[in-house]
Amino acid sequence: MMFENRHMAAFLLLEKLNQYKDKNVIVAGIPRGGMIMAKILADELKGELSSVLVEKIPSPFSQELNLGCVGLSGHVHLLPYVERYSITGSYIAAKADEQLNKLKKRKEIYGLEAPDFTNRIVIVVDDGIASGNTTSCAVHEVRSFSPQKLVLATAVSSPDAAEILRPQVDEFITLYLPENMYSIGQFYNFFPQVTDDQVVEILHGRDNLFGHHIS
């Protein structure tokens, strides 16, 4: 299954999310690619557009290995395999604070109000899920606010990620579960990188979603 662009993927997801129209939902995109789809879904469902910001906590052994993440709320979510390594709590706390400062700066760049997902139906949106680590962190960040219902919606997901994420949410929606996934972009004909400037435009209603540059 191929998607022309994120715009097409969002409208296909809309068909599976129409039950939430006029239900005062929050549609929270995972920056940056997920924000294009979140904007479309929030508009069509007549919901509130938001974003869920998380930063990965790097391992002391390798920048490619993540221990988990910290969310804008300050909540830290560690991945299950962390207990296999002898990593001190002080290291994790220091790195979490460092990453939290990055999140606060990004929040200022985005001009984003601190989201409150408490007792709300929250639909977390991303354009695709590969390993699922970042998405899992985003889900745990939203869950820390005790939402009424937590829905995860994505265009494409690896089967391994889907298996991990399904128990973490109340409803998991994906359009495609390919047997082999090398990158999210392989399932899109047009998959440009989304910039922070474009996220700002989306969040503040200055976007042009039908324009070529952020399709």
Side-chain angles (χ1 to χ4, degrees):
M1 183 175 188
M2 290 292 295
F3 305 103
E4 182 59 33
N5 49 32
R6 294 180 179 97
H7 185 277
M8 170 191 173
F11 275 97
L12 289 174
L13 273 177
L14 180 64
E15 296 175 10
K16 297 179 178 293
L17 290 166
N18 262 323
Q19 61 181 306
Y20 297 108
K21 188 171 184 176
D22 296 317
K23 295 290 180 64
N24 193 31
V25 299
I26 297 180
V27 183
I30 299 179
R32 290 185 289 268
M35 291 306 301
I36 292 174
M37 296 172 63
K39 168 63 175 172
I40 293 169
L41 290 170
D43 286 350
E44 295 297 321
L45 297 174
K46 302 188 186 306
E48 177 183 342
L49 176 65
S50 187
S51 179
V52 52
L53 302 183
V54 294
E55 275 285 348
K56 295 175 181 176
I57 300 173
S59 162
F61 314 119
S62 169
Q63 292 296 309
E64 300 302 315
L65 177 65
N66 299 306
L67 305 180
C69 74
V70 60
L72 190 57
S73 67
H75 176 78
V76 175
H77 168 59
L78 297 179
L79 296 169
Y81 59 73
V82 171
E83 59 190 31
R84 302 178 199 166
Y85 304 99
S86 299
I87 301 173
T88 64
S90 59
Y91 171 86
I92 293 173
K95 282 297 178 182
D97 284 344
E98 186 179 306
Q99 299 298 74
L100 181 57
N101 286 332
K102 290 182 182 179
L103 285 177
K104 290 177 179 177
K105 289 178 182 177
R106 194 189 307 170
K107 174 179 173 289
E108 291 179 4
I109 291 170
Y110 288 173
L112 185 67
E113 296 293 328
D116 184 0
F117 304 117
T118 307
N119 294 324
R120 298 285 298 276
I121 298 173
V122 182
I123 303 172
V124 175
V125 180
D126 208 353
D127 50 16
I129 303 172
S131 71
N133 288 346
T134 299
T135 310
S136 181
C137 288
V139 163
H140 278 80
E141 170 71 359
V142 174
R143 184 67 80 186
S144 71
F145 287 87
S146 300
Q148 176 188 337
K149 184 175 185 179
L150 178 50
V151 180
L152 175 60
T154 185
V156 57
S157 171
S158 69
D160 288 345
E163 185 176 354
I164 293 168
L165 291 164
R166 274 198 181 96
Q168 298 178 8
V169 297
D170 299 307
E171 186 176 1
F172 179 83
I173 298 173
T174 185
L175 299 170
Y176 188 37
L177 283 170
E179 290 185 11
N180 298 305
M181 182 183 225
Y182 307 105
S183 70
I184 295 169
Q186 78 184 87
F187 302 101
Y188 287 85
N189 288 326
F190 185 65
F191 195 70
Q193 183 177 356
V194 179
T195 67
D196 281 335
D197 286 344
Q198 288 168 344
V199 173
V200 172
E201 291 175 355
I202 290 167
L203 284 168
H204 297 282
R206 299 191 298 271
D207 58 286
N208 176 18
L209 287 175
F210 292 92
H212 180 75
H213 71 295
I214 62 172
S215 296

